[in-house]
Amino acid sequence: MADSLSLRPTQPRRMSREEKARETYRLLLEAAAQVVGTDGYADASISKITQLAGVAQGTFYNYFESRQDVLNRLLPYMGRQMLDHIASSMPRDLTGPAREEARLRAFFGYLDTHPTFYRILYEAEVFAPEAHAEHFRILVEGYKAALGRAVQRGEIQGFDENELEAIIYMLLASRAYIAMRYARDRNGHTGPVPEHVIQAYMKMLRRGLFSEA
Amino acid sequence: MADSLSLRPTQPRRMSREEKARETYRLLLEAAAQVVGTDGYADASISKITQLAGVAQGTFYNYFESRQDVLNRLLPYMGRQMLDHIASSMPRDLTGPAREEARLRAFFGYLDTHPTFYRILYEAEVFAPEAHAEHFRILVEGYKAALGRAVQRGEIQGFDENELEAIIYMLLASRAYIAMRYARDRNGHTGPVPEHVIQAYMKMLRRGLFSEA
Amino acid sequence: MADSLSLRPTQPRRMSREEKARETYRLLLEAAAQVVGTDGYADASISKITQLAGVAQGTFYNYFESRQDVLNRLLPYMGRQMLDHIASSMPRDLTGPAREEARLRAFFGYLDTHPTFYRILYEAEVFAPEAHAEHFRILVEGYKAALGRAVQRGEIQGFDENELEAIIYMLLASRAYIAMRYARDRNGHTGPVPEHVIQAYMKMLRRGLFSEA
Amino acid sequence: MADSLSLRPTQPRRMSREEKARETYRLLLEAAAQVVGTDGYADASISKITQLAGVAQGTFYNYFESRQDVLNRLLPYMGRQMLDHIASSMPRDLTGPAREEARLRAFFGYLDTHPTFYRILYEAEVFAPEAHAEHFRILVEGYKAALGRAVQRGEIQGFDENELEAIIYMLLASRAYIAMRYARDRNGHTGPVPEHVIQAYMKMLRRGLFSEA
DNA sequence: TATGAATGAGACTTCATTCAT
DNA sequence: TATGAATGAAGTCTCATTCAT
C-alpha cells in the first residue's frame, strides 16, 4: 500500500464550509491517485483511499457515486495536470523537430516528477475505458492541430490527414512504450529516460516525418 | 460471458490416463483464454473457467497452483501461437521494408482471426506483468536479430545497437496502438486495419529507418 | 420514488417563528406519508423525506426523535384524517345494514382518493406495531359503540359483547382484504371496488349479523 | 434474535454427499423460517440465518441466489406444510358448516404449533409479494372448489360465483385478523383462539352464508 | 484424479444519526 | 432553528481456495 501518512494538512487554516468540502474532495482524489498509482486500479479499495485521505469510509460517498466514479475521474484530473505541465514548460517559438523534442522531454519530465501518472494512464484502458478514450481524443486533437501547423509551415510533406492521424497514434504509442521500458528501474521506480533513446526517437522522426534538407 | 457451451469434445476417443490429463490441462487453458479474452483478466473467475471447460472447480487446482498461475501461463501459450502463425505466414526471401510490411500484416492477420489475443496481451502488463515482460523479451530479441540482418545487408544505416532497441520498442508500440485504434469497431469487435494506416506506418518506416535510394 | 417536487409552497406568506415551525413539521409529515405510501416503510429514508419536504437532513431531527418516531406518527395522522372523512361523509339518520353499507363505501371512497393510505395502514403492523394497535383500538372502540346502538335498536340479536368484538375484527379484516384484492389494478394503482363485491359483503352482513325480517 | 442453538442435529448419521446437501438446504430454510418468524423479514440477516443453521455465511450462497431468494421460498415452503397439515387433520365426510368449522380449527391448530408461520405469512405481502400472491391464489382456488361443492349440495344458496370469491376473501381475512387479535398473548406468544371467537365466526357463517333450515 | 460443498476474508455500499457552523 | 458534511456500524455478496468423499 501507499504511505500510511494522511494527506490531510496538519495546519488547516480556518475554512468556510464550502472550502472544506472542496478540500475534502481534493484530498480524496489525491489519495485515490496515490493508491491507484501504487497498487493499481484493481487493488484500489475505498478503505485504502479513505484511510490515506484521513476520512471515514462513508465520507467517500458524499463525494463520489461509487468506486468506479472516482476511478473515472482520476485520469481526467491527472491528464489536465499533465497537459498544463507540458504547455507551461514548452519554450515559445520552437518549430519543426525541435518542437517535437521539447514536447517529448516535457512528457518524460512530467512522468519523472509524477510517478503515479504512468500507471493511472496505462491501466485506464482496462479500468476506466471511457476516460481513457476521452484522454486520447484530447491528445490526438491537440496533436493534429500541432502537426497541421507544421504541414502549413512546409515542415511535413507527403502525408494526408488520415495518414497523419495514424502517425500520431504511433508517436503516442512510442512515448508510452519508451516510458514503460526506459523510465523505470528494476524496482519499478521512475527515472529519467536515457539520452540515446531520445536521440533514436528523434532520428526516426526527423527522417521519417519531417522533410529536412 | 463467453459461450456457455463446454469446450470438452463430446466423443473423446479412448485415451490413456496421461493423455486425458494433458487434455484436461489444455481444456482449462483454452477456457481461460476464452474467458480472459472476453471478460478480461479481472473478471476471469475460476468458476467461469471450469464451467466453460466442463470440469468441477476443484479439478482446476490439480492443474494450476492458483488463479494467478493460470493467468501467468496464458500469454506464453498464446504468444507462442502468434509467433508460430507469423513465422509460418512470412514469405521466404523478402528483405528490407517489404519484410517489415509482411510481418506487420501477419500480426494484424493473427489479431483478426484470434480476437481474444489482443486483450490477453494488452491487459497482461497489469495482471501478469512477468509474463508480459518475458513476452516482450522474446519479441524484442527476435526483432533485434531481424534488424541486425538488415543492418548487415546495408538496408539500415546510422543506428547503433542501443538505438535500434529503442526503435524496436517504438515499432511494437505502434503495432499495439494501431490495433487499439483501428482494429476494432464501435462494439469492440475486431476487424481488419485500414490500408491507409498500413501505408502511413510503412512510409514512416521506409524514410525513417531504412535508407532507401 | 415520489415526485421530486418539493412540497414547500413557493409563496409562503409571512409567518411567525412558531407558525413556520409548525409548517415545517407538517411538511415533513406529509412528505413522510408520501414517501411511505409510495415506497413503503422499509424504503422510506430520511434523505428521501427531507428532500421531498425541501429541508436539510439535519432539520429532520429538530422535529422528530428518530426515523422510527416519524413512522410511528404517520398512521395516527392519516388515521384521524380517514375517520374525519368517514364521519363527515356519513348521512345522518341511517340505521341498520344501510348504515354499515354507507360506512363501507365511505372507507373505500377514502382509499380511492388517498392512494397512499392503504400502504401506510397495511405495513404499519410490521413497521409501527404500536401505532397499528392503537389505530385498531380506536376503530374497534368506535365500532363497538355503533353496533351497541344497533343492538339497542333491536337490529342485531343473538350476539353477546365478546362475540361482537370478534365480528368487528372480521368486518375490519374483510374491508382490508377486499381493498387488497379489489381496490387495485395490475399496476398497483387504486380504483373503485366493484359493485358486486359490495353486494356480497352486504348480503353476508344482512343475513349473518342483522336479524332482518 | 431466535435461539442461538444450532439446528444442526448432533448425531448426523452417515449421509451421501447429495443427502448432505439436501440437508444443508433444509437447515438453511428452517433457520430462515425461524429467524423471520421471530424477527420479521426486515431484520432477517444472512448472518443470523447461517449462524442458526450452523454454516458459514458463504455457504448460504451455494443454496440461494440472494437474500430475497430465500425470503421468497419461505412462504411456499411453510404454506405447503400448512395445507398438508389441514388436509391431514380434516375428518372425512364432514359437510356444511361443520366442515368449515373443522377447517378453521385446523388452521388455528397449525398456527398454535407453528408460531413462526403467522409472521411469515403476514409480512409476506410486503417482503415477498409474489409469493404472497401465489399463496393466496392457491388458497382461493381450493376454497372455491370447496364452496362449489357446498353449492352443489344445496348448502349454500343465493351467491353467484363472483360473489363467492368475495366471500372467500372475507373468510380468509377473518381468519388472519382473528389470529392477529386472539391467537397471541401480550408477549407475542401464540396460544389457542378462545372458543367464543370461533362461535361468533361460525354463527356469522351459518346465518350469512349457509342456508340452514 | 475428480468432485463440489464449505469456508471466511474482504469488498462495496447505505443510511440513521451527530455536530460544528 | 437550519444546515449538510462526517461518521461508522452493519449488511449483502463474491470468490479463491480447501478438503473429505
Side-chain angles (χ1 to χ4, degrees):
Chain A
M1 236 290 293
D3 236 15
S4 71
L5 295 172
S6 165
L7 296 172
R8 177 86 75 179
T10 43
Q11 278 286 111
R13 80 173 169 68
R14 191 71 75 192
M15 284 183 288
S16 81
R17 223 196 251 180
E18 198 189 344
E19 275 177 320
K20 231 171 79 182
R22 220 182 280 281
E23 170 67 5
T24 303
Y25 176 79
R26 202 192 53 78
L27 220 48
L28 281 166
L29 211 52
E30 295 278 2
Q34 190 133 155
V35 171
V36 169
T38 309
D39 303 358
Y41 284 85
D43 287 337
S45 65
I46 309 296
S47 134
K48 280 181 190 172
I49 292 171
T50 51
Q51 206 164 312
L52 186 60
V55 301
Q57 280 211 50
T59 302
F60 178 89
Y61 290 90
N62 291 337
Y63 294 92
F64 302 95
E65 296 241 321
S66 65
R67 177 179 182 271
Q68 189 58 50
D69 184 27
V70 77
L71 300 190
N72 289 339
R73 289 173 201 246
L74 236 38
L75 181 53
Y77 178 70
M78 298 291 286
R80 169 163 299 278
Q81 256 193 31
M82 180 201 68
L83 290 178
D84 289 352
H85 169 95
I86 292 185
S88 77
S89 58
M90 285 287 287
R92 304 245 144 248
D93 304 328
L94 280 183
T95 59
R99 188 163 185 80
E100 280 309 303
E101 185 169 340
R103 201 187 300 278
L104 185 73
R105 288 182 187 278
F107 174 70
F108 290 145
Y110 182 79
L111 237 50
D112 197 18
T113 53
H114 294 76
T116 59
F117 181 67
Y118 175 75
R119 196 158 188 184
I120 290 173
L121 169 59
Y122 192 86
E123 294 192 5
E125 192 190 350
V126 177
F127 293 102
E130 291 184 27
H132 186 260
E134 172 66 5
H135 178 73
F136 255 69
R137 213 192 45 70
I138 292 171
L139 288 191
V140 170
E141 216 51 50
Y143 225 139
K144 274 184 183 169
L147 293 195
R149 287 189 293 273
V151 168
Q152 286 185 323
R153 285 194 298 265
E155 298 163 3
I156 293 175
Q157 288 168 0
F159 288 92
D160 69 28
E161 231 174 84
N162 284 330
E163 287 174 333
L164 277 183
E165 193 196 78
I167 297 293
I168 287 168
Y169 274 93
M170 292 177 62
L171 298 182
L172 292 176
S174 298
R175 280 184 189 182
Y177 272 46
I178 286 173
M180 168 177 87
R181 165 66 182 81
Y182 297 105
R184 39 195 63 227
D185 61 20
R186 297 266 160 91
N187 306 321
H189 295 130
T190 50
V193 170
E195 194 56 30
H196 78 267
V197 174
I198 296 183
Q199 290 316 323
Y201 177 96
M202 287 311 300
K203 207 180 284 184
M204 180 85 150
L205 213 64
R206 266 196 213 92
R207 295 184 185 179
L209 182 58
F210 289 90
S211 350
E212 299 222 298
Chain B
M1 233 292 290
D3 234 19
S4 72
L5 295 173
S6 165
L7 296 173
R8 175 86 77 180
T10 43
Q11 277 288 111
R13 76 170 169 72
R14 189 72 73 191
M15 283 185 288
S16 78
R17 189 164 297 194
E18 197 189 344
E19 274 178 320
K20 230 173 77 183
R22 213 182 285 282
E23 170 66 7
T24 303
Y25 176 81
R26 201 191 54 78
L27 221 46
L28 282 166
L29 211 52
E30 295 278 2
Q34 190 134 153
V35 170
V36 169
T38 309
D39 302 357
Y41 284 84
D43 286 339
S45 66
I46 306 297
S47 134
K48 279 182 191 168
I49 293 170
T50 51
Q51 205 165 314
L52 186 59
V55 303
Q57 278 209 56
T59 303
F60 178 89
Y61 288 88
N62 292 331
Y63 294 91
F64 301 94
E65 294 242 321
S66 65
R67 175 178 185 270
Q68 190 57 52
D69 185 25
V70 76
L71 301 190
N72 288 338
R73 289 173 201 250
L74 234 39
L75 182 53
Y77 179 71
M78 298 291 284
R80 170 163 298 279
Q81 257 193 31
M82 179 202 67
L83 290 178
D84 289 352
H85 170 95
I86 291 186
S88 77
S89 59
M90 285 288 286
R92 303 248 145 242
D93 304 327
L94 280 182
T95 60
R99 186 162 187 82
E100 281 308 304
E101 184 169 342
R103 202 187 299 280
L104 185 75
R105 288 183 188 276
F107 174 71
F108 290 145
Y110 183 78
L111 237 50
D112 197 17
T113 53
H114 295 75
T116 60
F117 181 69
Y118 175 76
R119 197 158 188 185
I120 289 173
L121 169 61
Y122 192 87
E123 294 192 4
E125 192 189 352
V126 177
F127 294 101
E130 292 184 24
H132 186 258
E134 171 67 5
H135 178 74
F136 256 68
R137 212 191 47 67
I138 293 171
L139 288 191
V140 170
E141 216 50 51
Y143 224 139
K144 272 183 183 169
L147 291 196
R149 288 189 292 272
V151 168
Q152 285 186 323
R153 283 192 300 264
E155 296 162 5
I156 293 176
Q157 289 168 1
F159 289 92
D160 68 27
E161 228 173 88
N162 283 331
E163 287 174 332
L164 277 183
E165 193 196 78
I167 296 294
I168 287 168
Y169 273 94
M170 293 177 63
L171 297 183
L172 293 176
S174 297
R175 282 183 189 181
Y177 272 46
I178 285 174
M180 168 177 89
R181 165 66 181 84
Y182 296 105
R184 39 196 61 229
D185 60 20
R186 296 271 160 89
N187 307 322
H189 296 130
T190 48
V193 170
E195 194 56 30
H196 78 267
V197 174
I198 295 181
Q199 291 316 323
Y201 176 97
M202 286 313 300
K203 208 180 282 184
M204 178 85 152
L205 212 67
R206 263 193 216 94
R207 295 184 184 180
L209 180 60
F210 289 89
S211 347
E212 300 221 300
Chain C
M1 233 291 290
D3 234 18
S4 72
L5 294 173
S6 166
L7 296 173
R8 175 86 78 181
T10 42
Q11 277 287 112
R13 75 172 171 69
R14 190 71 74 191
M15 283 184 288
S16 79
R17 190 164 298 192
E18 196 189 345
E19 274 178 319
K20 228 173 77 183
R22 214 182 285 283
E23 169 67 6
T24 304
Y25 177 81
R26 201 191 53 79
L27 219 47
L28 282 165
L29 212 51
E30 294 278 2
Q34 189 134 155
V35 170
V36 170
T38 309
D39 302 357
Y41 285 84
D43 287 338
S45 66
I46 307 297
S47 135
K48 279 182 190 168
I49 293 170
T50 51
Q51 205 166 315
L52 185 60
V55 303
Q57 278 209 55
T59 302
F60 177 89
Y61 288 88
N62 293 330
Y63 295 90
F64 301 94
E65 294 243 320
S66 65
R67 175 178 184 270
Q68 190 58 51
D69 185 25
V70 76
L71 301 190
N72 289 339
R73 289 173 200 251
L74 234 39
L75 182 53
Y77 178 71
M78 298 291 285
R80 168 162 301 279
Q81 256 193 32
M82 179 201 68
L83 290 178
D84 289 351
H85 170 95
I86 291 186
S88 77
S89 59
M90 285 288 287
R92 303 247 145 244
D93 303 328
L94 280 183
T95 60
R99 188 163 184 81
E100 281 308 303
E101 184 169 342
R103 201 188 300 279
L104 186 73
R105 288 183 188 277
F107 174 71
F108 290 145
Y110 182 78
L111 237 49
D112 196 18
T113 53
H114 295 75
T116 61
F117 181 69
Y118 175 75
R119 197 159 188 181
I120 290 173
L121 169 60
Y122 192 86
E123 295 191 4
E125 192 191 350
V126 177
F127 293 101
E130 293 183 26
H132 187 258
E134 171 67 5
H135 178 73
F136 255 69
R137 213 192 45 69
I138 294 171
L139 287 192
V140 171
E141 217 51 51
Y143 224 138
K144 274 184 183 167
L147 292 197
R149 287 190 293 273
V151 168
Q152 286 185 322
R153 283 192 300 264
E155 297 162 4
I156 293 176
Q157 289 168 359
F159 289 91
D160 69 27
E161 228 174 88
N162 283 331
E163 287 174 332
L164 277 183
E165 192 195 78
I167 297 293
I168 288 168
Y169 274 93
M170 291 177 63
L171 297 184
L172 292 175
S174 298
R175 283 185 188 179
Y177 272 46
I178 286 174
M180 169 177 87
R181 165 67 180 84
Y182 297 104
R184 38 196 62 229
D185 61 19
R186 296 268 161 91
N187 307 322
H189 297 131
T190 50
V193 170
E195 194 56 30
H196 79 266
V197 175
I198 296 182
Q199 291 316 324
Y201 177 96
M202 288 311 300
K203 207 180 286 186
M204 179 85 152
L205 213 65
R206 264 195 215 94
R207 295 184 185 180
L209 182 59
F210 290 89
S211 346
E212 301 222 299
Chain D
M1 233 290 294
D3 236 17
S4 72
L5 294 173
S6 165
L7 295 173
R8 176 86 76 180
T10 44
Q11 277 287 111
R13 83 174 165 66
R14 191 72 75 191
M15 283 183 289
S16 80
R17 223 196 249 176
E18 199 188 343
E19 275 177 320
K20 231 171 82 182
R22 220 181 280 282
E23 170 67 6
T24 303
Y25 176 80
R26 202 191 53 78
L27 220 47
L28 282 165
L29 212 52
E30 295 279 0
Q34 188 134 154
V35 171
V36 169
T38 310
D39 302 359
Y41 285 85
D43 287 337
S45 65
I46 309 296
S47 134
K48 281 180 189 171
I49 292 171
T50 51
Q51 206 164 314
L52 186 60
V55 301
Q57 280 211 48
T59 301
F60 177 89
Y61 290 92
N62 291 336
Y63 294 91
F64 302 96
E65 296 240 321
S66 65
R67 177 179 182 270
Q68 188 57 51
D69 184 26
V70 77
L71 300 189
N72 289 340
R73 289 172 200 247
L74 236 37
L75 182 53
Y77 178 70
M78 299 290 285
R80 169 163 299 278
Q81 258 191 31
M82 180 201 68
L83 290 178
D84 288 351
H85 170 94
I86 291 185
S88 77
S89 58
M90 285 287 286
R92 302 247 145 245
D93 304 327
L94 282 183
T95 59
R99 188 163 185 81
E100 281 307 304
E101 184 170 342
R103 203 188 299 279
L104 186 73
R105 289 184 188 276
F107 174 71
F108 290 145
Y110 182 78
L111 237 51
D112 196 18
T113 53
H114 294 76
T116 59
F117 181 68
Y118 175 75
R119 197 158 188 184
I120 290 173
L121 170 60
Y122 192 86
E123 294 192 5
E125 192 188 351
V126 177
F127 294 101
E130 290 184 27
H132 187 259
E134 172 66 6
H135 179 73
F136 255 69
R137 212 191 47 69
I138 292 171
L139 288 190
V140 170
E141 216 52 49
Y143 225 139
K144 273 184 183 168
L147 292 196
R149 286 189 294 271
V151 168
Q152 286 185 322
R153 283 193 298 264
E155 297 162 5
I156 294 175
Q157 289 168 359
F159 289 92
D160 69 28
E161 231 174 85
N162 283 331
E163 288 174 331
L164 278 182
E165 193 196 77
I167 297 294
I168 287 169
Y169 274 93
M170 293 178 62
L171 299 182
L172 292 175
S174 298
R175 281 185 191 182
Y177 272 47
I178 286 174
M180 168 176 89
R181 165 67 181 82
Y182 297 104
R184 40 195 63 228
D185 61 20
R186 296 269 159 88
N187 306 320
H189 296 132
T190 49
V193 170
E195 193 56 30
H196 78 266
V197 174
I198 296 181
Q199 290 316 323
Y201 177 96
M202 286 312 299
K203 208 179 282 184
M204 179 86 150
L205 213 65
R206 265 194 215 93
R207 295 185 184 177
L209 182 59
F210 288 89
S211 348
E212 298 221 303

